[in-house]
Amino acid sequence: MTALPFSRGRIVLVLPCCIGDVVLATAALAALRRACPAAHITWAVGAWSRPVLHDHPLLDALLDAGPSALPTRTPAGLWRFAAALRAGRYDALVSLVRSPTMSAAALLSRIPVRAGLDSGGRGFGYTCRARIDPDVPRHEAEIYLDVVRALGIDTTDCRATVPVQPQARERIRARLEALGIRRPPLVINPAGGRNPGMTFDAMRYPPAQMAALAARIVSAHPAPLVLVAGPDDRVLIEATAAALPAPPDAVFAGELSFAEIGALASEALLYLGNDTGLTHLAAAAGGRTAMLLGPTDPRRYAPFTERALALWKPATIPERGVSAGVVDWDWARDGISVDEAAQRVLDFLDQTGA
C-alpha cells in the first residue's frame, strides 16, 4: 500500500455527538491508527461525549467541540470551530458529520486533506468524499468506515472498542465486593433516548417489561442484579426496581463514571439496555451485551462488536433512521415481547458460554 501523505502527520477526527455515535466511530479510529501508527490523532468531541474518549489508547489528544451536538450550527459557532481546526495545523481531517455547516467549516479550515461524508451534496467542503444514500439502511459504523475507506485505508476487522481502564476495573471490583457481590452480575440499564441532539423516550423498554425480562434471565442464570443509570433517571430506576420480584442487589444511579460503567459491563454476566449510548459503551468495553431496539433499526444502530445481541421485532419504521424524526411507537403493539426477548437472551448466553 502506498504511504499516506499524512501517515506521520497530524490528523483530526470530527464527530462531536453523541455517545452512541462516538462509540461506533471508534471502529474508524482503529482503522486510522492501524494505517498511521506514527500519526498524532486528535478527536474533536463535545462535552457530552468527551468522557467516552478520555484516556483512549488510540488517541493523542481531544479537541473541545463545545456543549452542543453540532458546534457549527450558528454562523459564530462555525467560524469558531473552523478557527480551532486551523489552529491545530492538521495535515488531514476526517469528518463523520452529515452537515453542510460542518462541511463549510472543513473548507474554511484549509487543512490539505479533508475526508468526509457526502449525503445529498453536503460534502462540498471535503477533498475526499464518501458518498452515501440516506435511503439505504446501513450500519452507522460502516458509514463512518466509508470515510476511512475513501482515503484508501483498509478497515478489515475494525470494530467499536473502548478499552477498560485498569483503575476503573479496580474501583468496580472493590464496590461490588463491598456490597457482597462476588459473582458476575446481571446489569440492567432502563434509561436512554436523551442527548443534546434528541429526545426520544419511545426508545425505552417499559420498566415493568424490563423487570420481567431481568427476572426471567436470573431465574435461568442465577446472578446478582445491578441497576445502573444516570443522575436524571431515578424515576426509571425506581419503577424498574419496584416491578422486580425481589430488590436489586445494587443500584448505581448517577454514581458511576463512563469508565466505571464500561468496567462494570466487562465484569457482568450480561449488560441489558436500550438502544442508547451506554449500551454501545458496554459492548465496546468487551461486555456481553443485549440491546433492546424498538423504533430504531438494528441494521443501523445495533452494537458494532462481537459479543452483542440485538433484540428487535421487525416493524415499520422510517428508512432514514432517527434523522426522520420521532415515530408513533407503542411497545405493547410494536415491540418485542418479554417471552421472545427472554428466549433470545437465554440462547445467546448459552451460545457465548455463560
Side-chain angles (χ1 to χ4, degrees):
M1 175 179 163
T2 304
L4 297 164
F6 50 82
S7 62
R8 303 183 66 85
R10 293 173 59 81
I11 303 170
V12 59
L13 191 156
V14 180
L15 186 62
C17 189
C18 289
I19 295 169
D21 295 332
V22 167
V23 171
L24 293 175
T26 59
L29 170 64
L32 276 174
R33 176 55 76 194
R34 186 171 65 188
C36 307
H40 183 283
I41 302 180
T42 297
W43 192 313
V45 65
W48 180 265
S49 304
R50 183 184 181 95
V52 171
L53 299 174
H54 181 67
D55 288 337
H56 197 293
L58 301 184
L59 283 171
D60 297 291
L62 298 175
L63 174 63
D64 183 9
S68 68
L70 182 64
T72 58
R73 188 180 303 278
T74 66
L78 190 158
W79 282 105
R80 279 195 302 270
F81 191 67
L85 293 176
R86 283 198 302 274
R89 299 184 179 277
Y90 300 108
D91 300 289
L93 174 147
V94 178
S95 173
L96 308 181
V97 181
R98 301 174 182 82
S99 165
T101 58
M102 184 59 74
S103 189
L107 182 63
L108 292 169
S109 74
R110 303 174 193 159
I111 296 171
V113 177
R114 303 183 301 275
L117 293 169
D118 186 14
S119 173
R122 288 177 283 185
F124 59 86
Y126 305 122
T127 61
C128 185
R129 301 169 188 171
R131 290 180 170 83
I132 61 170
D133 184 346
D135 293 319
V136 177
R138 292 182 63 225
H139 201 286
E140 286 294 295
E142 289 288 355
I143 290 172
Y144 298 153
L145 285 169
D146 280 351
V147 181
V148 181
R149 295 181 187 112
L151 291 167
I153 293 174
D154 177 33
T155 64
T156 304
D157 297 328
C158 289
R159 289 289 182 264
T161 306
V162 181
V164 175
Q165 300 172 9
Q167 303 93 327
R169 190 184 300 278
E170 290 174 8
R171 291 194 299 270
I172 282 298
R173 286 177 174 174
R175 294 193 73 157
L176 294 178
E177 177 70 24
L179 292 166
I181 298 175
R182 298 179 178 86
R183 290 179 295 156
L186 171 62
V187 178
I188 306 292
N189 187 337
R194 296 189 179 189
N195 59 56
M198 180 185 67
T199 296
F200 200 173
D201 288 347
M203 294 171 70
R204 300 169 172 175
Y205 204 53
Q209 291 175 237
M210 184 73 84
L213 177 55
R216 292 279 293 275
I217 296 169
V218 297
S219 177
H221 288 266
L225 183 58
V226 174
L227 295 180
V228 63
D232 299 325
D233 299 316
R234 293 186 183 275
V235 172
L236 281 171
I237 285 280
E238 291 170 0
T240 304
L244 289 168
D249 295 272
V251 176
F252 300 122
E255 301 173 37
L256 302 182
S257 67
F258 285 2
E260 289 168 338
I261 290 173
L264 177 62
S266 73
E267 297 281 308
L269 167 74
L270 178 75
Y271 182 105
L272 176 66
N274 297 306
D275 176 7
T276 182
L278 290 182
T279 308
H280 283 291
L281 174 63
R288 187 188 285 112
T289 305
M291 175 184 281
L292 288 151
L293 297 101
T296 51
D297 191 337
R299 291 176 297 176
R300 291 182 182 271
Y301 306 115
F304 200 64
T305 60
E306 297 296 335
R307 294 208 311 163
L309 173 68
L311 297 168
W312 189 64
K313 173 185 171 183
T316 301
I317 54 178
E319 288 292 322
R320 292 198 172 200
V322 296
S323 64
V326 176
V327 299
D328 175 30
W329 181 264
D330 180 85
W331 278 101
R333 179 191 67 208
D334 306 314
I336 190 168
S337 68
V338 170
D339 286 343
E340 183 179 352
Q343 188 58 59
R344 292 193 59 199
V345 168
L346 296 180
D347 290 344
F348 173 66
L349 290 174
D350 290 342
Q351 292 161 8
T352 54

